[in-house]
Amino acid sequence: MDRVNATTPSASSADDPARAAFTALRTPEGEQLLAELRDHDPADELATATRLRRAHPAELVSAALGQARLRQRAVAKFGAEDAYRMYFTPNGVEQATRTSVAAHRAARFAGLGVRSVADLCCGIGGDAIALARAGISVLAVDRDPLTAEVARANAQALGLADLIEVRCADVTEIDTAPYDAVFVDPARRGGRGRIFDPEAYSPPLSWATAAALKAPRAALKIAPGIPHEAIGPEAEAEWISDGGDVKEAVLWYGAGFTPGAFRATLLPSGATLSAPAPLPAPPVGPVGRYLYEPDGAVIRAHLVADLVERCGGRLVDETIAYITSDEPYSSPYVAGYEITDELPFSMKRLKALLRERQIGVLTVKKRGSAVEPEELRRRMKLSGPGSATVFLTRVAGAPTMLIGHPLG
């Protein structure tokens, strides 16, 4: 089932096969099956199903196999220790916040003295779990009955039921006045896939913003690709990357946050770069000895100009987020490279240079180029003990290849 507020609750689990299957999974027999399937290989699923159906009802075996697959997928977000104790729905795994990001958000709330949060559109409970582990009591609300049951089961499985109250209700009908803060995670997927229009979220961003502005403090989880013009001046906007991949954006409201500020946070280090307002466009100039690739959260937050100023550098092109300088610069917000060659784009010239230098391992990075890295590597026919990095980009508007190696 989709975790969408428009969903109408059903009367009981008996009326809903998915809820009935989930209820069966929480019986001793269901739990035994899940424990047995913890490390099963999905490639052997047919044989496993055939074997298990000799001793268990077919419906229960199918439900257990489906849940086992979801738990395996969830390890990447929740870690094995939690994932194999928790329960999931397909959309719940897809939409849930990974533990590292949820813990960062919970820590910001806790650091401001927040002791209670209304978690609206709670999904399977990923954020509620992080908030509870930070010592915050949580009202977790979702309108989908199965999703609410899964969230409740997860709170119990992780020993957090005393801090997390799960309620199946329409979030637009919840009185959030008794809570120190509000967290809203609107559904951004529909029947046709990912939703890009913030007003097509469920609930719409405008409703979520209005709810946030009524609370002493609030956070709205949004897609990292949200247009900056869709962000109101009352919000502090934060983009979060984890391990170099941009995971989400959050709009913060209320005491302790800076309206109009943009922030980039890098996990797991927790390094944070912020600016109270956008800086002027940075200078553009020739490629120097060093090239810097900003973290994706810095780019999304429009803070590249801040890094250009810090390193005393310049952009290689006014439309490309590559920074260059003549002196080395170290920062957690960039990956640095020493550039040895700058060439006009040419497959033939690149192949000859790589052959001459006996490059057998080539890292291909691109920004502003239509060339696919895998296709380029295939055409290079690499051989040799050396390694290199090639950047396919534009320099002053011209297609260019920059060749070098990582600093350090």
Side-chain angles (χ1 to χ4, degrees):
M1 287 189 178
D2 287 346
R3 187 199 60 187
V4 175
N5 276 315
T7 304
T8 301
S10 57
S12 70
S13 60
D15 302 322
D16 186 338
R19 291 175 67 196
F22 177 67
T23 300
L25 285 178
R26 302 196 66 208
T27 63
E29 185 179 10
E31 291 176 353
Q32 176 193 337
L33 268 175
L34 287 174
E36 185 176 341
L37 289 169
R38 172 177 172 136
D39 299 317
H40 95 287
D41 185 350
D44 299 329
E45 189 163 299
L46 180 59
T48 301
T50 301
R51 174 177 58 81
L52 292 176
R53 283 169 180 162
R54 298 189 188 110
H56 304 281
E59 296 82 358
L60 180 59
V61 171
S62 295
L65 284 167
Q67 190 62 223
R69 288 194 301 271
L70 294 175
R71 285 180 167 183
Q72 289 178 349
R73 284 174 55 194
V75 168
K77 285 189 174 182
F78 291 90
E81 184 176 352
D82 281 354
Y84 285 112
R85 290 189 290 165
M86 293 172 66
Y87 298 89
F88 302 95
T89 65
N91 284 328
V93 171
E94 184 71 29
Q95 297 187 40
T97 306
R98 65 177 50 228
T99 295
S100 56
V101 179
H104 162 72
R105 188 162 41 235
R108 288 201 77 183
F109 269 140
L112 291 170
V114 170
R115 308 309 302 161
S116 62
V117 171
D119 178 2
L120 308 182
C121 311
C122 68
I124 55 92
D127 280 281
I129 289 165
L131 290 164
R133 284 176 168 168
I136 298 171
S137 63
V138 185
L139 170 66
V141 183
D142 203 289
R143 190 169 182 178
D144 178 61
L146 173 60
T147 304
E149 286 187 25
V150 171
R152 188 175 295 111
N154 287 336
Q156 294 169 354
L158 298 180
L160 299 169
D162 289 344
L163 283 169
I164 301 174
E165 175 195 347
V166 179
R167 190 179 302 174
C168 183
D170 187 327
V171 299
T172 63
E173 299 175 359
I174 297 297
D175 178 13
T176 61
Y179 299 89
D180 295 341
V182 168
F183 173 65
V184 189
D185 180 7
R188 295 179 301 282
R189 283 185 176 273
R192 296 183 178 180
R194 193 176 300 276
I195 296 170
F196 296 98
D197 178 6
E199 283 307 295
Y201 292 172
S202 180
L205 181 61
S206 56
W207 180 90
T209 301
L213 291 172
K214 294 177 185 176
R217 295 183 177 90
L220 308 184
K221 177 180 172 182
I222 55 175
I226 187 171
H228 279 220
E229 55 269 23
I231 300 171
E234 310 91 348
E236 174 188 302
E238 179 182 30
W239 282 261
I240 303 170
S241 68
D242 190 5
D245 294 328
V246 181
K247 295 302 178 184
E248 67 177 61
V250 189
L251 303 183
W252 297 95
Y253 299 83
F257 306 112
T258 307
F262 289 168
R263 178 185 297 271
T265 298
L266 281 55
L267 301 177
S269 72
T272 293
L273 181 69
S274 64
L279 293 172
V284 178
V287 177
R289 182 176 178 181
Y290 301 98
L291 189 78
Y292 306 101
E293 181 182 28
D295 184 272
V298 173
I299 296 172
R300 292 282 193 181
H302 293 188
L303 293 173
V304 173
D306 188 86
L307 290 180
V308 172
E309 187 176 83
R310 287 170 182 244
C311 75
R314 53 203 176 267
L315 297 182
V316 301
D317 185 279
E318 63 180 5
T319 64
I320 302 294
Y322 282 140
I323 303 169
T324 188
S325 71
D326 304 310
E327 300 294 334
Y329 171 70
S330 178
S331 165
Y333 307 107
V334 299
Y337 300 83
E338 183 172 10
I339 299 301
T340 56
D341 300 88
E342 177 184 355
L343 304 168
F345 178 79
S346 166
M347 288 279 198
K348 184 176 181 180
R349 289 187 67 177
L350 179 61
K351 184 176 182 179
L353 185 146
L354 298 177
R355 183 188 300 117
E356 175 187 335
R357 296 184 184 172
Q358 297 184 307
I359 300 298
V361 178
L362 183 67
T363 300
V364 182
K365 292 180 172 289
K366 69 169 193 169
R367 190 161 285 157
S369 171
V371 177
E372 291 300 325
E374 289 303 322
E375 172 65 12
L376 183 139
R377 269 191 290 264
R378 185 186 66 79
R379 294 178 62 177
M380 292 301 102
K381 298 182 180 178
L382 302 167
S383 178
S387 63
T389 300
V390 59
F391 295 85
L392 307 177
T393 188
R394 293 192 304 271
V395 173
T400 302
M401 304 182 299
L402 304 175
I403 299 148
H405 55 81
L407 289 174

